[in-house]
Amino acid sequence: MTDIAVKVDHLWKVFGPKASRIPGSPEGELSREELRKRTGCVAGVKDVSFEVKRGEVFVVMGLSGSGKSTLVRCLTRLIEPTAGEIMIDDNDVLKMSESSLRNLRRTHVAMVFQHFGLLPHRRVIDNIAYGLEVRGVGRAERHAKAQEVLDLVGLAGNATSYPDQLSGGMQQRVGLGRALAVDPSLLLFDEPFSALDPLIRRDMQNEVIRLHHEVKKTMIFITHDLQEALKLGDRILIMRDGEVVQIGTPDEVVGAPADEYVRDFVSEVPKSHVLTLKWVMRPAEPDDALDGPELPPSTIVQNAARLVIDSDKPVKVVENGELLGVVTEDDILRVIVAEEKPSEVA
């Protein structure tokens, strides 16, 4: 098994008459609006390619209508793709029979939606165990597994509650627990927290981060919220009008936006919270004192600030024993001061 959990190549989803003719044709090169005017078709997903590493949190973000939810539904053929290739755990999804596809959805992939889809007449433990019940797992075994997951997602003591007795955040924990209970290799999140209050949403984001560290699952997370994407993603794919605009780590997206669209997206982001030292370091000069403290280039500027400012010598940026550059107080303050609004520094 390779270290690539999901591979998508030249994926298209076109809605409309004779949709299969669009991929690879001259019409396929048109803008979304021109394509609609000329053919009556809409390209929900247009020639999208990416890979997701095993154990990675891969975030797909974009505004409403960008194609991100269509994309995630194509991965398990909840929406049938028009063209392209999808590989999950080295299995060709588009060539799967109906029975193989059902097995993929039941066994290997689990989805967490914005609308929790809980069964209101069933207790929390039975909601969490539902996927195991569908598989034919016996009651005692599935309840034992569900109880483990209850503790994992912070629902201990709520096994016998019903969904309407829980807050929105706790209901989403049930949805998360239901997905984890079947022990999938891949978790798909389709804007799961967008309907939650901001404080509960932040708690659930932290919960996903904690769970990722604990269970090491591969996750594809769909969101329209840049802050959420930057917080959760190991890498981020940004979509617009069904197409990929940029794929990169959070610091790459903020530090080197691909175009004006992405630059506008990240313009309000506190860069010291995202950029790493590799973006602010400079080459060492002959008169630099090189006996100061060391930090790796992946250190976030905000986390390095205190050490750099307190040091009377340049901080060395070192990776695998190699000196990549140095960072001084001026380099750090240049980033931090640039974040402040004019009224705050007047």
Side-chain angles (χ1 to χ4, degrees):
M1 186 177 289
T2 69
D3 64 349
I4 301 299
V6 179
K7 183 177 181 181
V8 174
D9 272 329
H10 303 294
L11 184 67
W12 289 75
K13 176 55 188 177
V14 182
F15 300 93
K18 300 179 180 178
S20 62
R21 297 185 180 183
I22 301 301
S25 71
E27 286 84 359
E29 301 298 320
L30 299 173
S31 69
R32 179 181 277 185
E33 185 58 25
E34 279 298 312
L35 178 67
R36 186 190 63 77
K37 286 180 180 178
R38 290 200 194 180
T39 69
C41 292
V42 175
V45 174
K46 182 177 180 180
D47 199 21
V48 168
S49 299
F50 63 90
E51 293 181 347
V52 181
K53 300 171 187 173
R54 203 168 302 282
E56 182 178 28
V57 180
F58 188 84
V59 175
V60 180
M61 74 152 295
L63 299 177
S64 179
S66 62
K68 56 190 185 299
S69 290
T70 301
L71 171 62
V72 77
R73 283 165 167 76
C74 283
L75 296 182
T76 57
R77 289 170 56 189
L78 292 176
I79 293 177
E80 196 68 35
T82 306
E85 181 181 70
I86 301 167
M87 303 292 291
I88 295 180
D89 293 333
D90 299 326
N91 296 305
D92 191 331
V93 175
L94 298 190
K95 292 182 179 177
M96 285 183 173
S97 64
E98 285 298 320
S99 61
S100 296
L101 197 54
R102 282 195 299 271
N103 184 61
L104 176 78
R105 295 169 182 165
R106 289 180 179 178
T107 308
H108 298 290
V109 181
M111 288 197 72
V112 182
F113 296 96
Q114 175 182 342
H115 302 292
F116 319 126
L118 304 182
L119 302 170
H121 61 291
R122 291 196 172 197
R123 300 173 304 167
V124 165
I125 194 166
D126 295 311
N127 269 280
I128 288 179
Y130 181 70
L132 296 172
E133 182 180 349
V134 169
R135 282 192 197 172
V137 176
R139 178 183 174 86
E141 184 180 347
R142 68 177 184 259
H143 274 201
K145 178 62 177 178
Q147 188 60 57
E148 290 178 20
V149 173
L150 272 167
D151 298 337
L152 183 65
V153 298
L155 288 170
N158 291 281
T160 59
S161 299
Y162 287 87
D164 64 1
Q165 296 173 314
L166 304 179
S167 67
M170 292 179 74
Q171 288 183 39
Q172 191 56 284
R173 287 175 188 267
V174 178
L176 186 54
R178 182 176 56 193
L180 288 169
V182 297
D183 195 25
S185 61
L186 173 64
L187 279 164
L188 305 178
F189 295 83
D190 189 8
E191 301 211 55
F193 310 144
S194 60
L196 300 177
D197 292 337
L199 289 179
I200 298 174
R201 181 172 187 160
R202 185 181 64 190
D203 287 345
M204 290 304 300
Q205 291 166 355
N206 292 335
E207 190 72 7
V208 167
I209 293 170
R210 180 185 69 81
L211 285 170
H212 183 249
H213 288 313
E214 289 195 23
V215 300
K216 309 297 185 186
K217 299 291 184 186
T218 306
M219 300 179 178
I220 298 179
F221 196 103
I222 307 299
T223 183
H224 65 271
D225 186 313
L226 178 63
Q227 295 290 352
E228 186 166 74
L230 294 172
K231 182 175 183 177
L232 297 179
D234 294 316
R235 287 188 301 142
I236 300 168
L237 182 158
I238 298 177
M239 294 187 74
R240 176 182 60 202
D241 292 340
E243 298 183 77
V244 174
V245 179
Q246 184 170 0
I247 300 175
T249 60
D251 60 308
E252 288 170 343
V253 169
V254 172
D259 62 10
E260 285 300 321
Y261 179 76
V262 181
R263 191 169 290 110
D264 286 344
F265 249 128
V266 303
S267 61
E268 299 297 319
V269 173
K271 290 181 172 52
S272 66
H273 295 205
V274 181
L275 293 184
T276 57
L277 293 185
K278 74 176 184 180
W279 294 95
V280 300
M281 68 183 184
R282 60 171 175 79
E285 298 175 354
D287 58 347
D288 283 328
L290 295 180
D291 55 347
E294 297 182 3
L295 287 173
S298 58
T299 307
I300 293 173
V301 168
Q302 183 187 44
N303 297 338
R306 179 50 56 198
L307 176 65
V308 175
I309 291 171
D310 286 348
S311 176
D312 58 356
K313 298 175 181 178
V315 170
K316 295 180 291 182
V317 182
V318 177
E319 186 171 43
N320 298 324
E322 180 185 357
L323 177 65
L324 303 181
V326 297
V327 178
T328 65
E329 178 179 1
D330 286 347
D331 300 316
I332 294 293
L333 291 178
R334 195 174 298 116
V335 177
I336 294 174
V337 170
E339 295 171 353
E340 298 178 356
K341 296 180 175 59
S343 61
E344 294 173 338
V345 296

